[in-house]
Amino acid sequence: MHTTVVNYRYKRSASRLTVGAHLFGILAIILMLVWLLHYRGGIDYESDNSDRVFNVHPFLMFFGFIFFAGEAMMAYKTVMSEHQGKKYMHALLHLIALCTGIFGICAAFRYHDMRQIDDMYTLHSWIGLGTFILYGLQWLVGAAAFLIPGGTPESRLRLIPWHMSMGRTILYLSICAALTGLMQKFTFLGLSKALGDRESHLINFTALAILLFGIFVDLSVALARYV
Amino acid sequence: MHTTVVNYRYKRSASRLTVGAHLFGILAIILMLVWLLHYRGGIDYESDNSDRVFNVHPFLMFFGFIFFAGEAMMAYKTVMSEHQGKKYMHALLHLIALCTGIFGICAAFRYHDMRQIDDMYTLHSWIGLGTFILYGLQWLVGAAAFLIPGGTPESRLRLIPWHMSMGRTILYLSICAALTGLMQKFTFLGLSKALGDRESHLINFTALAILLFGIFVDLSVALARYV
């Protein structure tokens, strides 16, 4: 009886945190779209304007990669379905995040090519690509262990703590990548005198919304484990 | 029997991760000291040279705050002692982190006063102070619930998942604060043409070592829970 009451409390807390995560995620997408569409000239991978090609990168890395990956983490607990349904939804959302993430990284390299800028010399690029490689490995190991039939229940059980711990670590790594990326763009825009006061606040609040999305996803997943 | 084997594996992994955390923590301290002492003129809170006053800030925020807080998190699992001994060591290390952190934040404000720079207008300052306030609250709630006699075992048990989840969240927040802080200093030094290639690599590698310290502390604490 007592355990049920405590579990109910965590369940309620976890589902409130999930609502918070959705809200901060949507807020971050809106703020970022206002920034990219109103201040930065729009988003277009095929454009001849290199700035519009670049803008695909922050948009897809948050809305494509981080947002879908966060939703995938929460889906494992919140989707109203049988265990198999939750699992496939979790894997599918992560697959979408993986594919849009690859596309988003390509946009950054395409921008560098158009502007003839060196690749991979900034802290953001190291954290970002490192995170994405870990994410790809995590997806592959997860799919091999939990989706493809063949593994023993013991081997799956043994992998779960690693899968969950690494998942939350990669979530925070991706948040670090987003923050360092936004700060870097902030600096470059400031150097070229292309940054006003309003826009600088918009970038900073986008960064805060992304950070809060990460925290709420993490806490909702962490507390859901105590249910 | 089988459970024991699995638990032993996690115990071994967790203790290896703890060793990794110590190593990356010490590496980050060394890199930061080389940076501050060799390239940035030294560390002195009482100096008339504002740059030397500023240098107290990154040094104490990592070595004082983040490093001690990380060690405190790991101490709860690794200190060879009775439960009470672990608990007091955990609380004491966090108290040291809290006090040196306050001192480190004061250094940043003192630097702003000396240079007549505005306070609290950057993303780093918002994340940093927000993190530190959460950390102070976490310490107070933790001390009130787990150190001071009086609470019921049920109320303590109910708080543990929150205490652990918030602890890991605050750890990653502090890593985000460190990365944004180092990037900001990197930018300011670059703007004043005071940054060479070697120093910029040194700052970036310090940031990576801090990030790896955070990841290893987090994973060692997360996996130790499965022991």
Side-chain angles (χ1 to χ4, degrees):
Chain A
M1 176 58 194
H2 175 70
T3 317
T4 319
V5 174
V6 173
N7 279 354
Y8 173 70
R9 284 219 180 99
Y10 292 132
K11 196 163 193 159
R12 212 173 44 183
S13 302
S15 73
R16 279 183 191 161
L17 287 163
T18 310
V19 172
H22 295 314
L23 290 179
F24 280 114
I26 291 164
L27 178 66
I29 294 168
I30 293 170
L31 290 175
M32 188 177 271
L33 280 175
V34 172
W35 174 45
L36 296 175
L37 298 179
H38 180 70
Y39 288 94
R40 294 283 122 231
I43 300 168
D44 183 2
Y45 193 85
E46 298 292 337
S47 173
D48 293 329
N49 178 342
S50 62
D51 289 327
R52 298 181 71 186
V53 175
F54 174 82
N55 292 344
V56 175
H57 178 66
F59 180 67
L60 285 190
M61 294 326 281
F62 181 69
F63 176 59
F65 173 46
I66 299 178
F67 182 74
F68 271 92
E71 292 293 327
M73 289 172 75
M74 295 189 294
Y76 197 77
K77 288 287 172 189
T78 55
V79 169
M80 296 290 175
S81 151
E82 294 297 301
H83 176 70
Q84 286 296 66
K86 288 177 199 283
K87 209 168 80 170
Y88 286 120
M89 183 55 88
H90 178 76
L92 177 70
L93 286 170
H94 274 308
L95 185 63
I96 296 172
L98 192 68
C99 295
T100 49
I102 291 170
F103 203 47
I105 290 173
C106 288
F109 282 98
R110 192 171 140 85
Y111 169 73
H112 291 169
D113 283 350
M114 290 172 87
R115 285 281 186 98
Q116 301 190 309
I117 302 171
D118 280 344
D119 297 316
M120 302 303 300
Y121 73 101
T122 62
L123 182 62
H124 166 66
S125 63
W126 302 344
I127 295 176
L129 201 64
T131 303
F132 203 77
I133 290 168
L134 281 179
Y135 184 75
L137 288 175
Q138 166 93 341
W139 197 91
L140 283 178
V141 172
F146 303 117
L147 284 186
I148 299 168
T152 59
E154 286 79 18
S155 71
R156 291 180 178 203
L157 214 60
R158 216 163 54 210
L159 204 65
I160 285 173
W162 280 99
H163 186 74
M164 291 198 302
S165 305
M166 280 306 293
R168 292 176 56 200
T169 298
I170 295 170
L171 172 73
Y172 276 111
L173 279 174
S174 68
I175 301 297
C176 289
L179 295 183
T180 52
L182 284 169
M183 279 194 80
Q184 183 177 304
K185 191 67 188 172
F186 188 100
T187 303
F188 289 155
L189 290 173
L191 288 177
S192 61
K193 317 269 186 225
L195 188 69
D197 262 2
R198 281 196 188 169
E199 187 180 352
S200 67
H201 274 101
L202 186 58
I203 297 176
N204 283 344
F205 283 116
T206 307
L208 281 186
I210 292 175
L211 180 60
L212 286 165
F213 173 74
I215 293 171
F216 275 75
V217 170
D218 174 53
L219 286 177
S220 79
V221 171
L223 285 173
R225 283 190 46 213
Y226 295 93
V227 176
Chain B
M1 175 61 193
H2 175 70
T3 316
T4 319
V5 174
V6 173
N7 279 354
Y8 173 70
R9 283 218 182 100
Y10 292 131
K11 197 164 192 158
R12 213 174 43 182
S13 302
S15 72
R16 278 183 191 158
L17 288 163
T18 310
V19 172
H22 295 314
L23 290 179
F24 280 115
I26 291 165
L27 177 66
I29 293 168
I30 293 171
L31 290 174
M32 188 177 272
L33 280 175
V34 172
W35 175 46
L36 296 175
L37 299 178
H38 180 69
Y39 288 94
R40 293 283 123 231
I43 300 168
D44 183 3
Y45 193 85
E46 298 293 336
S47 173
D48 293 329
N49 178 341
S50 63
D51 288 328
R52 299 181 71 187
V53 174
F54 174 81
N55 293 344
V56 175
H57 177 67
F59 180 67
L60 284 190
M61 294 325 282
F62 181 69
F63 176 59
F65 173 47
I66 299 179
F67 183 74
F68 270 92
E71 292 292 329
M73 289 172 76
M74 295 189 293
Y76 198 77
K77 287 288 172 190
T78 55
V79 169
M80 295 291 176
S81 152
E82 295 297 301
H83 176 70
Q84 285 297 68
K86 289 176 198 285
K87 209 169 78 170
Y88 286 120
M89 182 56 89
H90 178 75
L92 177 69
L93 287 170
H94 273 309
L95 185 63
I96 295 172
L98 192 68
C99 295
T100 50
I102 291 170
F103 202 47
I105 290 173
C106 288
F109 282 99
R110 191 171 141 84
Y111 169 74
H112 292 170
D113 283 349
M114 290 172 86
R115 285 279 188 98
Q116 301 189 308
I117 302 171
D118 279 344
D119 297 317
M120 303 301 303
Y121 72 99
T122 62
L123 182 62
H124 166 65
S125 63
W126 303 343
I127 296 176
L129 201 65
T131 303
F132 204 77
I133 290 169
L134 282 178
Y135 184 75
L137 288 175
Q138 166 93 342
W139 197 91
L140 283 177
V141 172
F146 303 116
L147 283 187
I148 298 168
T152 59
E154 285 80 18
S155 71
R156 290 181 179 204
L157 214 59
R158 216 163 54 209
L159 204 66
I160 286 173
W162 279 99
H163 186 73
M164 291 198 302
S165 305
M166 280 306 294
R168 291 176 58 200
T169 298
I170 295 170
L171 172 72
Y172 276 111
L173 279 175
S174 69
I175 301 297
C176 289
L179 295 183
T180 52
L182 284 169
M183 279 194 80
Q184 184 177 305
K185 191 67 189 171
F186 188 101
T187 303
F188 289 155
L189 290 173
L191 288 178
S192 61
K193 316 271 187 227
L195 188 69
D197 263 1
R198 280 197 190 166
E199 187 180 352
S200 67
H201 275 101
L202 185 58
I203 297 176
N204 283 344
F205 283 116
T206 307
L208 282 185
I210 292 174
L211 180 60
L212 286 166
F213 172 74
I215 293 171
F216 274 75
V217 169
D218 174 53
L219 286 177
S220 79
V221 172
L223 285 173
R225 284 191 44 214
Y226 294 93
V227 176

